[in-house]
Amino acid sequence: MGGFFGTISVKSCVDDLFYGTDYNSHLGTKRAGLVTFDKQQGFSRSIHSLERNYFRSKFEDELAKFTGNQGIGVISDTDPQPIIVNSHLGRYAVATVAKINNLEAIAGEMLAKRMHLSEMSANQINQTEMVALLINMGDSFVEGINKVYEKIEGSCSMLILTEDGIIAARDFMGRTPIVIGRKDGAYAATSETTSFPNLDYQVVRDLGPGEIVRLTADGMEVLQEPSRRKQVCSFLWVYYGFPSSDYEGINAEDVRERSGKALGEEDKTEADLVCGIPDSGVGMAVGYAEGHGIPYKRAVLKYTPTWPRSFTPGTQTRRSLVAKMKLIPNKAILEGRRVVFCDDSIVRGTQLRDNVRTFFDDGAREVHARISCPPLVYGCPYIGFTTSKSDLELITRRIINDFEGNPDAKLKEYATTDSPEYTRMVDEIARRLGLTTLKFNKIETLVKAIGLPKCDLCTHCFDGSGCSR
């Protein structure tokens, strides 16, 4: 995934930039970068790996080298960025939150035109540099950004730091968010509204899909109006959004609690307590406890001082190790009890299987899993919220392959709630994970909990719907 923060102020922006970017740290663990612009000193940039250290520990000692009243920062789960460019549009820096599926094809076209790619990362194309090259093909920033929208397959939101302000451009289908904030003498743009409160910014509004604006210290200019078609990623509210963040004015934790309450009200399973897998399962568990009428207990806790969020490490071995080390079961609460635990989703099932085994080892009589969203039957072509390289990494598709001899067979039937195929698949997931019972939220319940029309949400990973334009 990834997240960014940009700010422009009448005074130095460095402190706001540092802390505002840090509040996006839960979205990635590979690279982070900051860049500022000062009229006397020009652009100052630093990029660091986050694979072994946190953002703050990498950048805090460098802050004195940054000067200026405008800057952008990014937490990237893909490439080193921001990229600094000198082009016919002027000098600028660009940071992206993107998943571009046709990088190789676009690169081939550019190389055929004798354009070059210099920012290689582990021998891979740097997609942010690719975005910059496409921008440079336009006669203006707006024209260049639209060339990005036209050429890429996937999604891309971006911040561009120019000598005259910050340009913010949201993905053409609105899949990833950009929210504008304001305080006296400053404007900001970010992926997470969580960046705003402690820095005294007030939310102005979300950018619309494909909307482009220019921020200055005293105002916001709309350079391109938003399009009407919207496909906001529903997983913002299910999984990777921070609990206190709002997207489209809708709070992530509120959605999780509403989803849990709805599932709790319809669930007839008898149990002694409910717990949530931290962090994104906790809100659902609180709602489930209310809806089902059983107590919420902290039967599993997250050890936060040294273990980061686990969805971004690049190898399954390290991801599994981090997941195991950070979650500590509370045997005193588990022993002898029938436990419902809530989690955001099931991707591969590896971590969940290990958690279930641990719960039983610590004396739980029964272990029931309740999941915030429907089964992930389709891989996501738009957002990089997992490191999966193939749909066969999804436990659903492996089971479908075992049942049908083809991982792509009867996907519509398997994605349809309560169909015979769906019921058989869910029962098999429960068996493989060692669960007493397993239930997923219905897609209708999730959509209602979010509160946007279904047509404004991307639910591709659940039902295969959605479009690229």
Side-chain angles (χ1 to χ4, degrees), residues 83-329:
I83 301 298
I84 297 178
V85 179
N86 192 11
S87 77
H88 71 98
L89 298 173
R91 293 183 299 166
Y92 67 91
V94 59
T96 66
V97 172
K99 182 178 182 183
I100 301 175
N101 300 310
N102 58 334
L103 273 177
E104 296 289 345
I106 298 173
E109 293 178 15
M110 289 182 167
L111 292 172
K113 296 176 182 177
R114 299 187 177 183
M115 301 175 71
H116 69 277
L117 299 163
S118 58
E119 294 278 351
M120 302 298 285
S121 176
N123 296 317
Q124 301 295 315
I125 296 168
N126 185 314
Q127 62 180 8
T128 303
E129 183 191 22
M130 179 71 73
V131 167
L133 291 176
L134 290 170
I135 291 171
N136 292 342
M137 295 174 68
D139 292 330
S140 66
F141 280 110
V142 170
E143 185 176 322
I145 291 166
N146 280 301
K147 287 187 179 295
V148 176
Y149 294 161
E150 293 164 7
K151 293 291 289 186
I152 70 165
E153 297 174 4
S155 68
C156 181
S157 292
M158 68 189 85
L159 296 180
I160 301 172
L161 176 65
T162 74
E163 298 180 2
D164 302 315
I166 295 173
I167 296 173
R170 188 176 177 184
D171 171 61
F172 53 88
M173 295 298 289
R175 288 195 166 92
T176 50
I178 298 181
V179 188
I180 305 301
R182 177 180 60 197
K183 65 180 178 180
D184 288 345
Y187 271 79
T190 186
S191 304
E192 292 279 282
T193 60
T194 295
S195 296
F196 287 155
N198 289 340
L199 297 175
D200 297 325
Y201 288 91
Q202 300 295 320
V203 172
V204 175
R205 64 177 178 87
D206 294 69
L207 295 191
E211 186 175 9
I212 305 171
V213 301
R214 186 194 307 276
L215 302 179
T216 60
D218 56 4
M220 177 175 68
E221 176 190 5
V222 176
L223 304 180
Q224 177 167 287
E225 296 287 343
S227 64
R228 292 185 177 180
R229 187 66 193 272
K230 181 187 298 183
Q231 289 276 277
V232 186
C233 177
S234 56
F235 238 57
L236 274 168
W237 293 277
V238 170
Y239 177 36
Y240 57 81
F242 196 76
S244 63
S245 281
D246 298 342
Y247 315 100
E248 308 296 317
I250 301 167
N251 180 258
E253 190 75 349
D254 273 352
V255 170
R256 292 166 190 172
E257 290 190 15
R258 287 195 291 268
S259 295
K261 183 180 179 182
L263 185 53
E265 288 173 341
E266 69 179 35
D267 193 1
K268 305 305 179 185
T269 303
E270 295 185 1
D272 301 308
L273 62 95
V274 58
C275 68
I277 301 297
D279 287 313
S280 44
V282 172
M284 183 190 175
V286 170
Y288 184 95
E290 180 183 356
H292 201 54
I294 58 175
Y296 171 81
K297 300 279 188 178
R298 294 205 295 170
V300 60
L301 299 103
K302 182 178 178 182
Y303 190 75
T304 57
T306 54
W307 293 103
R309 197 173 187 181
S310 62
F311 79 106
T312 46
T315 67
Q316 180 63 42
T317 300
R318 181 169 181 246
R319 187 165 51 247
S320 298
L321 174 63
V322 170
K324 179 180 180 181
M325 295 301 293
K326 74 175 184 176
L327 293 180
I328 302 176

Side-chain angles (χ1 to χ4, degrees), residues 5 39 57 75 85 110 134 150 170 236 284 336 347 369 388 407 417 419:
F5 181 91
K39 291 188 181 298
S57 66
I75 305 292
V85 179
M110 289 182 167
L134 290 170
E150 293 164 7
R170 188 176 177 184
L236 274 168
M284 183 190 175
V347 183
S388 297
T417 305
S419 70

Side-chain angles (χ1 to χ4, degrees), residues 36 336 427:
T36 56
D427 288 345

